[in-house]
C-alpha cells in the first residue's frame, strides 16, 4: 500500500477487526489473536494443522464463544445485532453444513427462510452454470460439488465478508481458478472483503493482499504480501560459508547433500559472507520455512 492507501485505511472502519480473541480447550490455547481486515482486500490466514485457524473462524462467525476478546464486523459486535451480523457473513468450508438428505430445492427454501437478502434467481444461476444436479440428495454429491453448492449459497446473498475455511479443497484446478476470479470480483467495489484460511499457498500467492500466520494458537506474523516478500530473503550455500555472525539469524534452515537453504530477514542479509546465494522468495516459500518453527542452523 502507498501512503494514500494507508491514510484511507486508517480513516475507515474496517470490515473485520479481531481484538485479542482467546479460547481455551484441553491441550490447546488460542492466545490473544488480533488482526484487522480493511474493506476491499483479501487476507490469507495460514498456519499448520492445529494452529488455531478453524477456532479463530468459529469465534468470528459465532459458532464458538470466545473466553476473551471480540470480533467486530463493520465496527459492531455480534450482540448488537445478531441477525445483521450473520447476514453480512458468507461462510464456505470444505465440510458441508447442509443435511445429507437435502436437495438443491430444499437448500433454496432454507436459505430463503434464514437470510432476507437471499436471491433464488442468483442461486439457481450458479446451480445451472456449475451443472449441479437439482434432484439428487447431497449425500450423493462429491466434495467438489458440495463446495460449489456452498459458494452458490453465499454468492446469492448480500454479504460483506466471505470467510473461507479450506474452501478450495477437493476442487479441480479449473474451478479453483474460477473461484479465485470470483473472489477478486467480489472485492473490486472496495466494500467487500475475504478472509481465506487455506493450506494451498499457491492460491494466496495469486490473490491475497494481506497474510496472517498463526502457530500454536498465536499470531506469528502479519503483513501485506508485498512487504513479506520484501522483508525476507531466501539464502542458499555451502555450510562452510556460515562461520560468521549471520548464522544465528537464519530461519527454518533446511540441510541437503548440497548445503543448506534458509530464510533471513532482509536487514540481516549483509551479515552473511560473500558467496552466499540470495534470492527473493515467494509467499509459499516464506510460509514453508517459517512453519518449520524458526529453526536456527547450528554449525558444529
Amino acid at each position: 500500500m502507498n501512503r494514500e492507501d494507508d491514510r484511507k485505511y486508517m480513516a475507515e472502519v474496517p470490515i473485520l477487526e479481531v481484538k485479542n480473541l482467546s479460547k481455551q480447550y484441553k491441550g490447546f490455547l488460542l492466545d490473544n489473536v488480533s488482526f484487522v481486515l480493511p474493506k476491499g482486500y483479501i487476507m490469507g490466514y495460514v498456519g499448520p494443522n492445529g494452529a488455531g485457524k478453524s477456532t479463530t473462524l468459529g469465534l468470528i462467525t459465532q459458532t464458538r464463544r470466545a473466553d476473551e476478546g471480540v470480533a467486530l464486523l463493520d465496527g459492531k459486535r455480534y450482540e448488537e445485532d445478531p441477525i445483521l451480523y450473520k447476514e453480512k457473513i458468507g461462510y464456505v468450508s470444505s465440510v458441508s453444513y447442509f443435511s445429507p438428505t437435502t436437495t438443491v430445492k430444499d437448500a433454496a427454501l432454507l436459505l430463503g427462510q434464514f437470510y432476507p437478502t437471499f436471491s433464488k434467481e442468483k442461486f439457481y444461476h450458479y446451480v445451472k452454470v456449475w451443472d449441479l444436479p437439482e434432484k439428487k440428495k447431497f449425500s450423493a454429491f462429491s466434495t467438489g460439488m458440495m463446495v460449489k453448492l456452498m459458494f452458490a449459497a453465499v454468492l446469492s446473498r448480500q454479504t460483506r465478508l466471505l470467510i473461507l475455511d479450506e474452501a478450495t479443497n477437493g476442487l479441480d484446478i479449473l474451478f479453483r481458478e474460477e473461484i479465485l476470479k470470483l473472489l477478486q470480483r467480489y472485492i473490486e467495489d472496495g466494500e467487500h472483503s475475504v478472509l481465506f484460511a487455506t493450506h494451498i499457498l499457491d492460491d494466496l500467492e495469486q490473490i491475497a493482499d494481506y497474510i496472517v500466520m498463526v502457530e500454536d494458537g498465536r499470531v506469528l506474523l502479519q503483513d501485506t504480501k508485498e512487504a513479506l516478500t520484501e522483508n525476507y530473503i531466501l539464502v542458499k550455500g555451502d555450510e562452510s560459508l556460515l562461520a560468521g555472525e549471520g548464522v544465528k539469524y537464519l530461519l527454518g534452515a533446511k540441510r541437503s547433500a548440497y548445503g543448506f537453504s534458509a530464510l533471513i530477514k532482509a536487514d540481516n542479509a549483509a551479515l552473511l559472507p560473500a558467496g552466499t546465494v540470495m534470492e527473493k522468495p515467494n509467499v509459499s516459500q516464506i510460509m514453508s520455512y517459517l512453519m518449520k518453527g524458526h529453526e536456527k542452523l547450528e554449525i558444529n
Side-chain angles (χ1 to χ4, degrees):
M1 284 191 296
N2 58 34
R3 290 182 181 273
E4 183 178 347
D5 288 335
D6 276 334
R7 286 194 295 268
K8 179 182 178 183
Y9 163 65
M10 294 300 292
E12 289 185 340
V13 174
I15 279 188
L16 177 65
E17 186 172 6
V18 171
K19 293 183 175 182
N20 302 313
L21 279 183
S22 298
K23 182 70 175 179
Q24 176 77 63
Y25 293 104
K26 185 177 181 180
F28 177 77
L29 172 64
L30 189 78
D31 189 13
N32 288 307
V33 168
S34 299
F35 57 84
V36 175
L37 176 55
K39 298 175 184 176
Y41 293 94
I42 296 174
M43 175 178 283
Y45 194 56
V46 302
N49 290 337
K53 300 189 299 297
S54 292
T55 298
T56 306
L57 301 188
L59 299 178
I60 294 169
T61 58
Q62 295 294 310
T63 58
R64 309 183 191 193
R65 295 292 182 265
D67 296 334
E68 300 288 343
V70 65
L72 303 176
L73 191 61
D74 283 330
K76 304 291 185 182
R77 294 171 177 256
Y78 169 77
E79 292 78 9
E80 294 181 60
D81 192 337
I83 294 175
L84 183 59
Y85 187 101
K86 292 276 191 178
E87 179 72 19
K88 288 181 177 181
I89 294 176
Y91 176 81
V92 180
S93 169
S94 59
V95 179
S96 173
Y97 44 74
F98 289 103
S99 166
T101 59
T102 307
T103 64
V104 166
K105 181 179 179 181
D106 298 329
L109 290 172
L110 288 169
L111 290 165
Q113 291 172 359
F114 281 101
Y115 299 105
T117 64
F118 174 74
S119 168
K120 186 176 178 180
E121 291 72 26
K122 286 183 180 179
F123 178 72
Y124 275 100
H125 164 74
Y126 288 114
V127 166
K128 293 184 185 301
V129 167
W130 293 334
D131 197 26
L132 297 175
E134 297 185 31
K135 295 183 179 180
K136 283 187 178 182
K137 293 182 179 180
F138 292 159
S139 58
F141 275 34
S142 66
T143 299
M145 290 164 64
M146 278 309 307
V147 172
K148 290 178 181 180
L149 190 281
M150 288 186 282
F151 269 110
V154 300
L155 293 172
S156 302
R157 295 165 40 213
Q158 293 179 22
T159 56
R160 294 263 292 141
L161 172 67
L162 291 187
I163 295 181
L164 311 182
D165 189 0
E166 301 288 357
T168 53
N169 287 7
L171 300 181
D172 63 70
I173 189 168
L174 292 178
F175 188 66
R176 272 176 51 205
E177 290 177 355
E178 183 177 349
I179 288 300
L180 298 185
K181 290 176 182 177
L182 279 172
L183 297 179
Q184 289 172 318
R185 289 201 294 272
Y186 179 79
I187 66 165
E188 66 184 3
D189 67 353
E191 294 297 322
H192 301 78
S193 296
V194 177
L195 179 60
F196 193 173
T198 182
H199 71 277
I200 304 176
L201 299 179
D202 288 344
D203 288 349
L204 299 182
E205 194 77 50
Q206 295 183 57
I207 64 169
D209 302 294
Y210 292 87
I211 301 290
V212 175
M213 181 179 173
V214 288
E215 187 173 67
D216 297 327
R218 293 187 175 94
V219 173
L220 188 63
L221 63 83
Q222 54 182 306
D223 216 327
T224 64
K225 181 176 66 178
E226 289 75 15
L228 279 179
T229 56
E230 292 297 328
N231 289 342
Y232 289 94
I233 291 175
L234 179 61
V235 298
K236 301 177 182 179
D238 186 279
E239 291 187 14
S240 64
L241 296 174
L242 299 178
E245 181 183 358
V247 66
K248 65 184 179 183
Y249 297 104
L250 296 177
L251 304 172
K254 301 177 184 180
R255 281 186 170 92
S256 71
Y258 305 101
F260 78 96
S261 62
L263 280 185
I264 191 168
K265 289 284 188 71
D267 291 345
N268 296 323
L271 299 174
L272 297 177
T276 307
V277 177
M278 300 187 187
E279 301 174 357
K280 183 176 180 180
N282 58 35
V283 170
S284 296
Q285 290 171 321
I286 293 171
M287 296 298 103
S288 173
Y289 281 86
L290 293 186
M291 279 190 223
K292 288 177 66 62
H294 287 269
E295 297 174 18
K296 290 182 172 63
L297 191 64
E298 295 181 359
I299 302 301
N300 297 323

